Amino acid sequence: MHGFRTERDSMGELQVPADALYGAQTQRAVQNFQISGRAMPAGFVRALGLVKAAAAVANRDLGLLDGVRAAAIENAARAIANGEHAGAFPVDVYQTGSGTSSNMNANEVIARLASEASGTSCHPNDHVNMGQSSNDVIPTALHVSAALAWHRELRTALDRLHGSLQRRAQEFADVAKTGRTHLMDAMPVTLGQEIGAWAAQIDAARQRLQQSADGLLALAIGGTAVGTGINAHPEFAERVAADLSAQTSLAFCVAPDRFQALSCQDAAVAFSGQLRALAVALMKIANDLRWMNSGPLAGLGEISLPALQPGSSIMPGKVNPVIPEAVTMVCARVMGNDATIGVAGQSGNFQLNVMLPVISETLLESIGLLANGATALATQAVDGFTVNQVQLDGVLARNPILVTALNAVIGYEAGAAIAKKAYAEGRPVLDVAEESCSLSRAELERLLDPRSLTRGGIVGGD
């Protein structure tokens, strides 16, 4: 159907596309906020559907909404929560800071669907929005969508990456290589120890995120306009939280102080901070992989990442570490998003934060990017890289820093002289040490064995 129909709101009449499920208030927002061309993310819209469905159930059970309307509203809202009618939510992210336009968008779409399905007039404000305000619905949907994205997307991806790193660490537990500090040769480590450190980073980030995500379970619902709960039944909020918990298997609850829940987004800011910390960890891991893969001739050449695509439009045969590079860009974006959320979190003036839509969009983008980036790193880089054993062994044999193991036997100064000579002549430190001290070759081989050195402790004579 083409053309327009006439809709009316408190500001008067307005032309709305004839086939649009939304009404006048959404149309005004579409006209007013032509800024980014980006609508609110699907995860947020689905969470909004969950909130509206839970509200209808609560109002029905409290005797405030008749059964026919309640059922129709619930069904329409759950359809939205399931991803249906996604095209009916066109309001730009950069809209009124409370997200009122998105709340009314949901109210109007649900009211129209419910009215058509039930044959009963369902009003966007009087029925769908009963006991609610944009000021408590939008921060509630923000928390619900972020909590769901964490539990269903990012945590799963981190579990996958952590498991992959642990498996490779065990696989290479006995593969010795040159350690590096300041990007310079250092005492040996095993490849398993190096990868195990990455696994520990991911595990620590995962634990911090889980702790922070618990703050997202406290909901603003029931605070209505300013936190007092005006126009909401005293039991409404608890019932909504209970329904959301039942539908999602997450332990949602009503925020202990609803004034705080409306006026600030500290929980979202804190969670974003932990997403940034994860991005820092992923960037370190991705860059280590790039360094280890570098070459293959003029770089370190310790590992070979899976060859996924040609690396140059002009240099035949070149293959680049594309997945680690993509992940570093993800990390850069997430770090920038955290700055946005930090600024937005400061915009809680008196009883309401007025940057809720951008907080929600940015938070969900960070979660999604990190989830996809971690999955790609696991499946397309960590799982499939191979070790260049000849390169590892050759560099390790020539590493003059191995002489550190002789400190307790011959002293620091004598060891430094051996290291300098070995480096200057490009010879194995074992050969130079045999010429320069009284220890037998057999004893030197024992003291300088790289795999023994990866176990630490004081090295000395019998």
Side-chain angles (χ1 to χ4, degrees):
M1 184 184 296
H2 300 288
F4 295 86
R5 69 177 191 270
T6 300
E7 290 279 347
R8 172 179 290 276
D9 61 11
S10 60
M11 297 186 71
E13 292 185 347
L14 192 68
Q15 295 296 296
V16 176
D19 57 353
L21 291 175
Y22 53 78
Q25 291 201 43
T26 302
Q27 182 63 28
R28 292 189 193 280
V30 169
Q31 294 173 354
N32 289 335
F33 306 119
Q34 298 183 29
I35 297 176
S36 72
R38 299 198 308 272
M40 291 298 291
F44 173 84
V45 172
R46 292 183 179 188
L48 201 49
L50 287 172
V51 173
K52 293 297 178 180
V57 170
N59 285 322
R60 179 201 64 199
D61 293 347
L62 291 168
L64 303 175
L65 191 61
D66 66 87
V68 173
R69 284 193 176 92
I73 291 171
E74 180 189 2
N75 290 338
R78 295 213 187 281
I80 291 166
N82 290 332
E84 299 178 36
H85 313 297
F89 294 87
V91 178
D92 202 278
V93 170
Y94 298 93
Q95 54 171 286
T96 175
S98 62
T100 298
S101 296
S102 285
N103 185 42
M104 283 309 304
N105 188 175
N107 291 336
E108 289 178 342
V109 170
I110 292 169
R112 185 175 180 86
L113 291 171
S115 296
E116 290 176 350
S118 66
T120 302
S121 175
C122 295
H123 194 277
N125 300 81
D126 296 339
H127 302 129
V128 182
N129 202 56
M130 179 181 288
Q132 305 151 64
S133 164
S134 301
N135 298 354
D136 64 347
V137 165
I138 297 301
T140 296
L142 188 163
H143 275 213
V144 170
S145 62
L148 286 173
W150 156 244
H151 284 276
R152 295 178 178 178
E153 298 173 34
L154 181 53
R155 190 173 68 174
T156 300
L158 292 182
D159 290 347
R160 174 68 175 82
L161 177 57
H162 182 257
S164 178
L165 290 169
Q166 281 192 314
R167 285 192 300 275
R168 299 314 304 263
Q170 292 168 4
E171 181 181 351
F172 302 123
D174 296 322
V175 176
K177 58 162 287 185
T178 297
R180 291 182 180 84
T181 59
H182 303 270
L183 289 180
M184 304 299 287
D185 298 343
M187 289 298 291
V189 297
T190 68
L191 187 53
Q193 289 168 334
E194 195 164 53
I195 298 172
W198 301 343
Q201 273 191 285
I202 296 304
D203 184 49
R206 183 174 55 180
Q207 292 183 47
R208 290 191 299 264
L209 278 162
Q210 181 58 68
Q211 219 172 18
S212 183
D214 289 343
L216 298 172
L217 300 177
L219 305 179
I221 198 70
T224 65
V226 292
T228 60
I230 187 71
N231 289 346
H233 190 283
E235 298 177 24
F236 172 77
E238 295 288 350
R239 290 174 179 268
V240 170
D243 186 90
L244 289 171
S245 297
Q247 293 299 319
T248 63
S249 299
L250 298 180
F252 289 111
C253 63
V254 179
D257 189 311
R258 295 172 196 168
F259 297 96
Q260 183 260 359
L262 266 66
S263 64
C264 78
Q265 278 297 312
D266 292 351
V269 172
F271 188 70
S272 177
Q274 293 305 330
L275 293 176
R276 178 190 178 99
L278 171 61
V280 169
L282 286 175
M283 184 169 278
K284 184 262 193 291
I285 295 168
N287 279 329
D288 279 356
L289 285 167
R290 291 173 62 222
W291 276 105
M292 293 163 69
N293 178 78
S294 62
L297 299 179
L300 298 182
E302 295 181 342
I303 65 170
S304 295
L305 290 167
L308 300 178
Q309 62 187 60
S312 173
S313 62
I314 190 173
M315 292 176 281
K318 192 171 188 293
V319 179
N320 296 330
V322 292
I323 295 300
E325 287 176 352
V327 170
T328 59
M329 287 190 282
V330 162
C331 296
R333 180 70 173 200
V334 170
M335 293 174 194
N337 283 352
D338 181 56
T340 296
I341 291 171
V343 172
Q346 298 173 47
S347 298
N349 307 122
F350 300 108
Q351 277 69 59
L352 183 67
N353 181 285
V354 290
M355 288 197 184
L356 297 174
V358 77
I359 292 175
S360 185
E361 187 217 26
T362 309
L363 197 60
L364 290 176
E365 181 187 49
S366 291
I367 295 170
L369 285 173
L370 288 168
N372 293 336
T375 298
L377 198 64
T379 60
Q380 295 174 273
V382 175
D383 282 352
F385 76 76
T386 56
V387 174
N388 302 328
Q389 190 68 56
V390 172
Q391 175 71 0
L392 289 180
D393 291 345
V395 172
L396 191 55
R398 297 191 304 275
N399 182 4
I401 306 302
L402 291 177
V403 79
T404 303
L406 304 180
N407 282 358
V409 182
I410 66 173
Y412 182 92
E413 296 297 337
I418 292 172
K420 289 178 182 179
K421 185 175 181 180
Y423 178 76
E425 297 178 2
R427 297 167 59 200
V429 70
L430 175 63
D431 294 343
V432 176
E434 185 180 13
E435 300 169 357
S436 306
C437 70
S438 60
L439 297 174
S440 69
R441 187 172 184 87
E443 181 67 2
L444 287 169
E445 286 176 346
R446 184 183 71 81
L447 293 173
L448 296 174
D449 176 54
R451 287 164 183 78
S452 296
L453 297 178
T454 63
R455 295 191 284 270
I458 296 175
V459 180
D462 291 330

